[in-house]
Amino acid sequence: MEKVVIIGSGPAGWTAALYTARAQLAPLVLTGKQPGGLLTTTSIVENFPGFPEGVDGYELMTRMQQQAERFGAKTSFGVVESVDFSQRPFTLVVDGGKVVAETVIIATGASHKHLGVPGEHDLETKGVTYCATCDGALPVFRNQPLVVVGGGDSACEEALYLTRFGSVIHLIHRRDSLRASKIMSDRALSNPKIKPVWDSVVTEVLDVKLDKVTGVKLKNFKTGAESVLNCAGVFIAIGHAPNTAIFRGQIEMDGNGFIIPKHGTMTNVQGVFVAGDCADHVYRQAITAAGAGCAAGIDAERFLAAENH
Ligand code: FAD
Ligand code: NAP
């Protein structure tokens, strides 16, 4: 029986682990398929306090893990397949096995969204990707025209990163202004290698018959005009959806699947807490996720203390 099980190993999960480990609750962290969470897919994080020169996303997450483990957090590379929160202790099915917990902190974050257009799925790993940091340096993209889809911070960051490798980066956005923060928008739009394509959506990724990306079909929303843009890679950065499907029917969530926290980090189930991007559709930053993880750790500790553990 675990006192605290933390589902997820992003900034929210590791911070919750640090606080509950220092409270001597020996939390078990289930990392999921992406140990370290979303920040491991980016290069330099410039806005996490304490790192004036910026910090590599992977390094930051490794340090968070080490810090939590130093105080007794236990790490397991498990994926939670289902949960039973109908009675305490709670039961979690993890890679086919059972884990039993007195309290659970949900910190499952969010996963990238798909465009849902023809060719996208068939050409995934053959030129369609969701992570420039992971795939941008591949030889197939070197000195080639590349496409980034999206208008947020992620799309700007992906486009900027890709300027190191591609000949030109077409930034396809469905409106005529970026959603990204001012600093990221200015950086992207002032880079001579980045060419914005406004008011446009990708309607198909080409060419499934050739089994590789050769271009995208575009439609301009305002004029209705359709065109083909040649490229060797399509980097999709259109946001993220919360990883909460396994909690459906047990934990209250909004229409988009974000868990609804109450009184801090509590959920509708006593003893189950939530932190980070899976419950935050507004801020979605590493520091806010870490802050929520801290709060969830403290809430879980106080909940157990109140039961005289
Ligand atoms: P995540 O980091 O998403 O972690 C979720 C964790 O849950 C993962 O470990 C995953 O494996 C695990 N998980 C999911 N489902 C299960 C399951 N069923 N069982 C077990 N584990 C599971 N923010 C900034 O502040 N600064 C930046 O510079 C910045 N750059 C970014 C760059 C990119 C490309 C992206 C995509 C995001 C960036 N962000 C940045 C946002 C930041 O990454 C997120 O806000 C933050 O990672 C959210 O933390 P989290 O702990 O809530 O979730
Ligand atoms: P986001 O802010 O939700 O932006 C998603 C973008 O994709 C929007 O421009 C949206 O268009 C577009 N889009 C959504 N669905 C689409 C579709 N089906 N077809 C075409 N376009 C679509 O997501 P994000 O950029 O991943 O950022 C998520 C969070 O992480 C944000 O809070 C961000 O600040 C943070 N982050 C921070 C940094 C940094 O600080 N360096 C880097 C990356 C991410 P509309 O604008 O029309 O809605």
Side-chain angles (χ1 to χ4, degrees), residues 47 113-115 149-155 157 173-175 177-179 181 184 201 237-240 277 282-285:
N47 50 11
K113 284 189 195 162
H114 296 83
L115 284 173
V149 187
D153 279 330
S154 292
E157 197 170 88
H173 184 36
R174 62 185 179 184
R175 294 187 292 118
S177 65
L178 296 175
R179 172 179 296 279
S181 56
M184 296 300 285
V201 285
I238 59 168
H240 294 80
D277 281 11
V282 179
Y283 303 108
R284 296 176 299 165
Q285 303 295 307

Side-chain angles (χ1 to χ4, degrees), residues 8-12 31-32 34 38-39 47 80 108-109 157 276-277 284-286:
S9 57
T31 66
Q34 191 172 50
L38 276 183
L39 276 192
N47 50 11
V80 178
T108 47
E157 197 170 88
D277 281 11
R284 296 176 299 165
Q285 303 295 307

